[in-house]
Every structure is written in structure tokens, then in C-alpha cells.
Amino acid sequence: MKRFALGLNVGAAVVLLGILLYMGNYLSYRHGYRKNVSCYEYLSLSDKTEQLLQDLDENINIFVFVRPSNKLYSNIRDLCREYDHASHRIHIEYIDPNRDLARTKSLSFKYDVTEPDTIVFSTSDKQKVICVMEIAEYENEPAIGQQSKGIKAFRGEQVFSSLIRDLTRGPKPDAYFLTGHGERLIDNYDQYSGYSIIARKLRHENIEVHSLSFSETSEIPENCNILIHAGPSRRLSRPECAILKNYLENSGRLLLLLDAGFFTGLNELLKEWGLKLADDRVISATSWTGSELVVTEYGKHQITESLGNITTIFNLPRSLQPVDSPAVSKGQHPDKPSVTVLASSSQRGWAEMTPDQNPPIFDSNIDRPGPVAVAVAIEKGHIGKMNVALKPTRLVIIGDSTLV
């Protein structure tokens, strides 16, 4: 009897141990913890990509037609693992064009793949095909007789996420950069004054980028989702300001990057939206060279919520002072623009009203003490108490065009 009881206890213990092992294995599979401990940042997905993958509502099939001998194969495979782990909507299949001949032929016919070392992204009704060469930057071509310098940078996540956005979202938004007033240009490749890199990054984010000149048109295109006025050095005329005013009154979206020392002609327009531009420079007592403003604290807004403890460096920015809108005060507009400070100097900074003074010294009689705003967001939504949901007007103004 004792032997039977002992055997029963042992059997029950074995069964319970098996159940615990199964439960542990199941939980570790469904709720595993992963952390990148390597020195390669590209092995970790950005927060923006993580959010994109979490929001997927349809399956994405990724067919990797890449030979293992390709220099980028291991990078691509590591990156695909991260995408596969981040979402159950991602399904990945690796096909070696030199060995999996039948599968290669079948999928090549279906997706019109004519060359090896390509990657196909597909949904139930759409597809995108890219060449592996497109997801890396390479060193300059070597001279005759010299060896290639190889891969300069791996851009896999940028390309992968952009293609997934293309497949799962509606039409691309259109961003227009205003020109004709000495602005920074999207086709200028100078590393200090050009915005070509910015344009390329916007395109990687699935945004169409265009230039817009008021000398060629007297209105802003209907497909303009955001108008960007970056670093103008000459003023806009009254008719041009009127175009901007009409655009904003019709739920427009405007991003202004306004450097200190330039009169843009936008003072009166921005005053109607609750913002004052001054002819000043924002100075910090903790500046290394006297020209940069280091910002580590930000206002509470969707634009800045992911910055955390990231440091932003402004180069002699101008101040942006929230004020009461005259139009609102007179009762012309029942809905008041909401102004949110995005970034400002610390209490040890100030708005220097005599910008030519060298070195700058705080004068309590004329200078404005910190914290001083250098970036703000403005939004205006419903009109009155009408039960109608209108697309709000949104402005973001930054007192420096070099920080980008």
C-alpha cells in the first residue's frame, strides 16, 4: 500500500512538473523579453517602427530573394527577425535563388521578380519590390586597381518601414517647401545650408516633397498637407502674406523655421495667432561658445513627448513670445488659438535685445529673463459652439532653421 502511494505521489509530481514546464514554455513564447546587447544600433527597431507594426491590421508577407553570399544577407536576416518578433502580422520567407529553384520560379512569376537579391513586400492586393542595393549606402567607387571600400551605412529599417507604410496606408501626404525668399532648398546638397538630406528623410517617411514658389502660383495647392517655410532671409510681400493667412483660415498646416536677424514680414500674421516675434537672440549662460542654446526640457505636447532626455542644440535662435491675439480680444474669432511652448531656454538663459553686443551680458532693464521660448505649437479647432468637427489649423514655429 505504501509503495502504491509513493508511486502515485511520484507520478503526480511528474505530471505537475510537466504542466509547469509547459506553462513556462508557453508564457516565455508569448511574453518573451528581448534586449539588444550588441554594439549595432540597427538591430533595434525605433519607437516609430514599433508603433507602425503594432497598428497593422493586415498581414504583410516579406519574400527575401537574397543569396547567402550577399554582403548584406546577415544584416537583412537580423533585421527581419526584429520585424517578425515585433508583429504577428509580419510573415517572412527566405528563398535562395540558386537553390530553391521551384519556389523561386513560382514566386518570380507571381511578383514579376527578374533578378536575384531582391525583396518583395506584399499584402492581399498590393506589392512592392526593392533591390538589396537600395537599402545600403556605399563608399565612393574605388579607383582602378583598388579594392572597394564596401558598405558605408545600412538603411534597412528606413526602407522596410517606408514600404510597409506604402502598402498599408492611404495616399502619401504632400509637403511643400516655400521658395523665393532665400529659404533653405530641398535640392541644395550643401551639408551646412542645404535641405536635401531633410527631403530624403521625409521621402523615407512616406511623404511626398515639393517646392512651391509664389512667383509661379497665387495659391497653395489643394493637395498640400503641410507648408514649410525654412530659413527665409527676405521678407514676404503683403499679397504673399495674404495667401498664407487665407491658407491658415482654411485649416492649413504651416511649419515655420525663422532665424534671428531677418525680417520676414510675418510679424502681423503671427500676432493674430497669438505669437510675437522680436529682433533678439536667445542666449544661455552655460553656452560653450556663446552661440549655441542647449535645450533638455520640453513642453507637454505630442511633438515632444518622445524626446525624453535628448538634448537639442539651437544656434542663436530668436525668441517666440506667446501673447493674446488682437483678433481674439476684439471678439472677431470666438475660438482662441491654443499656444503650447515646445522648447525654451533654462532660467539661466535670456532674450538678448542688443544682439550685436559681444560678449552678451544680461541687462535687466531691456533684456527678457529666461525661460524664453524658442519653439511653439499653435492650434485652433472648432468655430463657436457649432456641433461640427472641423480639421484644426496647426502651426509650428521654431526660432532656428539650422537645428534640423
Side-chain angles (χ1 to χ4, degrees):
M1 189 68 178
K2 290 182 179 180
R3 185 175 295 177
F4 175 76
L6 181 61
L8 186 62
N9 287 336
V10 172
V14 171
V15 171
L16 287 174
L17 178 61
I19 293 174
L20 289 174
L21 289 174
Y22 174 79
M23 292 176 62
N25 185 61
Y26 176 79
L27 290 174
S28 66
Y29 174 76
R30 294 297 299 272
H31 306 283
Y33 175 75
R34 304 170 81 243
K35 181 177 179 61
N36 178 23
V37 295
S38 74
C39 59
Y40 300 108
E41 285 294 326
Y42 63 79
L43 296 180
S44 297
L45 300 182
S46 65
D47 293 340
K48 189 177 295 184
T49 293
E50 294 274 7
Q51 189 62 51
L52 169 69
L53 297 178
Q54 291 173 17
D55 293 341
L56 290 177
D57 56 6
E58 60 179 320
N59 293 335
I60 303 291
N61 297 307
I62 303 177
F63 300 98
V64 183
F65 292 89
V66 182
R67 294 169 293 189
S69 59
N70 189 288
K71 290 183 178 180
L72 292 173
Y73 182 81
S74 60
N75 290 350
I76 293 170
R77 189 151 196 144
D78 290 339
L79 183 64
C80 285
R81 287 196 188 105
E82 296 301 313
Y83 276 79
D84 182 47
H85 180 266
S87 174
H88 68 279
R89 293 286 190 180
I90 299 293
H91 303 282
I92 300 170
E93 181 179 348
Y94 301 91
I95 303 102
D96 185 346
N98 293 337
R99 297 194 176 199
D100 306 325
L101 301 181
R103 184 61 172 158
T104 298
K105 183 177 181 180
S106 173
L107 293 175
S108 297
F109 179 78
K110 180 178 180 179
Y111 295 110
D112 193 24
V113 175
T114 59
E115 299 178 355
D117 297 332
T118 56
I119 305 175
V120 177
F121 292 72
S122 73
T123 61
S124 58
D125 58 347
K126 290 186 287 186
Q127 68 183 53
K128 294 279 186 178
V129 180
I130 61 164
C131 176
V132 168
M133 294 286 289
E134 298 178 41
I135 63 177
E137 292 182 11
Y138 295 86
E139 299 287 354
N140 294 331
E141 290 295 326
I144 298 176
Q146 296 181 357
Q147 293 184 349
S148 172
K149 294 182 180 180
I151 299 169
K152 182 179 179 181
F154 182 64
R155 304 297 185 192
E157 182 184 349
Q158 294 179 10
V159 176
F160 277 33
S161 295
S162 178
L163 290 171
I164 291 174
R165 276 191 290 268
D166 278 348
L167 291 172
T168 58
R169 295 185 177 178
K172 293 182 179 180
D174 291 272
Y176 281 80
F177 282 76
L178 193 59
T179 65
H181 312 89
E183 297 91 345
R184 298 180 181 273
L185 304 177
I186 58 175
D187 56 358
N188 183 345
Y189 293 89
D190 185 273
Q191 62 177 329
Y192 298 110
S193 61
Y195 263 29
S196 61
I197 294 178
I198 302 302
R200 185 178 67 191
K201 288 185 177 294
L202 288 175
R203 293 186 179 105
H204 284 166
E205 293 294 332
N206 202 39
I207 299 173
E208 292 287 354
V209 180
H210 316 270
S211 295
L212 175 66
S213 173
F214 285 151
S215 65
E216 300 174 356
T217 180
S218 59
E219 59 184 15
I220 296 172
E222 292 184 1
N223 68 330
C224 177
N225 298 105
I226 180 171
L227 179 64
I228 302 171
H229 196 33
S233 59
R234 293 190 292 274
R235 65 174 297 168
L236 279 76
S237 65
R238 288 184 179 274
E240 291 173 329
C241 289
I243 295 174
L244 292 183
K245 181 177 181 179
N246 181 67
Y247 173 68
L248 292 176
E249 289 175 350
N250 288 276
S251 303
R253 308 294 171 92
L254 178 63
L255 171 60
L256 298 174
L257 299 106
L258 306 176
D259 295 312
F262 297 102
F263 182 71
T264 61
L266 296 171
N267 296 51
E268 292 302 317
L269 174 62
L270 291 178
K271 196 172 182 180
E272 293 183 10
W273 287 87
L275 191 71
K276 178 182 178 181
L277 294 180
D279 184 15
D280 59 11
R281 310 283 194 280
V282 181
I283 305 295
S284 173
T286 59
S287 172
W288 302 309
T289 65
S291 63
E292 73 281 338
L293 176 71
V294 178
V295 175
T296 57
E297 297 182 4
Y298 307 92
K300 189 176 181 180
H301 196 277
Q302 285 182 313
I303 292 174
T304 54
E305 65 182 6
S306 63
L307 292 181
N309 62 350
I310 294 175
T311 297
T312 306
I313 299 178
F314 293 74
N315 182 44
L316 284 178
R318 73 188 310 159
S319 73
L320 306 171
Q321 185 177 1
V323 296
D324 286 333
S325 166
V328 171
S329 302
K330 294 177 182 179
Q332 296 178 10
H333 296 284
D335 62 323
K336 184 177 180 179
S338 172
V339 181
T340 302
V341 174
L342 300 177
S344 59
S345 72
S346 68
Q347 292 185 346
R348 300 188 63 184
W350 71 91
E352 177 62 58
M353 302 306 297
T354 53
D356 294 332
Q357 180 177 259
N358 189 21
I361 300 175
F362 177 69
D363 185 344
S364 59
N365 294 321
I366 59 174
D367 296 334
R368 189 153 48 90
V372 180
V374 293
V376 302
I378 304 175
E379 183 170 345
K380 186 172 74 170
H382 293 98
I383 297 180
K385 297 182 180 180
M386 294 185 297
N387 189 24
V388 179
L390 300 176
K391 187 178 79 168
T393 296
R394 288 177 177 159
L395 298 87
V396 171
I397 304 96
I398 300 174
D400 178 26
S401 70
T402 63
L403 73 96
V404 298

